[in-house]
Amino acid sequence: MYDLWNVTEFILTGLSQNKEVQQICFLLFLLFYAIIIFGNFLIILTIRGSTNLNSPMYFFLSFLSFVDICYSSVTAPKLIVDFQAKVKTISFVGCMAQLFGVHFFGCTEIFILTVMAYDRYVAICKPLHYTTIMDHKVCTILMVSSWVGGFMHSIIQTLLTVWLPFCGPNLIDHYFCDVHPLLKLACTDTYVVGVIVVANSGMISLSCFVILVGSYAVILFSLRTRSTEGRKKALSTCASHVIVVILFFAPCIFIYLRPSTTFTEDKMVAVFYTIITPMLNPLIYTLRNADVKNAMKRQWSKKVMGQRSKELK
């Protein structure tokens, strides 16, 4: 009989076992991660440095970009390094820390996206009361609540997993430590824990997704009475949010709203919400948002003019 908790490290299978594929993926995901860091930092700096982008929507967007940087940094650097490693190991403590980080930042992003949908609902459906409803105090409370909610969710997931006995196989069929692959390795019946995981992660994803879909449905319904120009502007803003919501929530619901089982497709699906969505967020929000693009152009022009002035002196 195995001694309980004698596993001190895990071995990750990664995305692929093919060496040529790993080399291609190394360059590809290194590029993806660079885009994530650069793009999201650019949005944060643009919003913080522009006096025109001071509405609640951009307050939430700057935090969304910050969460995307943190979220992708939990998995992407390890994944990139592992493409060059013969054996992809991670310590037990490192595995639990990664599990905590993935769920903390992932759940916080879910709540921020939900808050952003509420912000758009108030802005479009109750424009006369927008500044009163979405004042600084309310925005701060909503943002703090998102972080606290993400922390509470993650601490539950981590505690449920960290106390499980791991006494035998230590091969995780994934590229990062997540609940379902770890439950598969536990040396005990994990049915109850699996149900709690579904109730925790799955229901949060599904309930927030339903709220988001409902809010955008109400927004679309209310746009019928607006002018053509007002309708186009509102639809452009909401379209960006809807694209992000679909890219992020669909994979999350597929992974977490089901019994504690693992599929071979899970790894590729997880790439969407851990790397692809954080990479696309800056592109989606800048390419479809004229205010952000104009703010970036103004800041770039100021830097160029400032540099020329220094050179002339």
Side-chain angles (χ1 to χ4, degrees), residues 15-26 83:
L15 283 178
S16 174
Q17 303 298 315
N18 187 295
K19 290 185 179 180
E20 292 182 358
V21 173
Q22 286 185 13
Q23 294 306 311
I24 295 171
C25 287
F26 171 78
F83 283 130

Side-chain angles (χ1 to χ4, degrees), residues 42-59 61-62 289-296 298-299:
L42 184 60
I43 284 184
I44 293 171
L45 293 174
T46 300
I47 292 173
R48 297 300 182 190
S50 176
T51 55
N52 296 324
L53 304 179
N54 56 2
S55 68
M57 181 178 74
Y58 298 111
F59 171 77
L61 179 57
S62 64
N289 192 308
D291 293 335
V292 175
K293 285 191 288 187
N294 292 333
M296 285 182 177
R298 284 193 295 270
Q299 289 192 20

Side-chain angles (χ1 to χ4, degrees), residues 15 29 174-175 251 255 263-273 276:
L15 283 178
F29 281 90
H174 215 304
Y175 65 89
I255 295 291
F263 300 130
T264 54
E265 296 84 6
D266 286 356
K267 290 187 283 187
M268 292 308 301
V269 172
V271 169
F272 275 91
Y273 61 82
I276 301 300

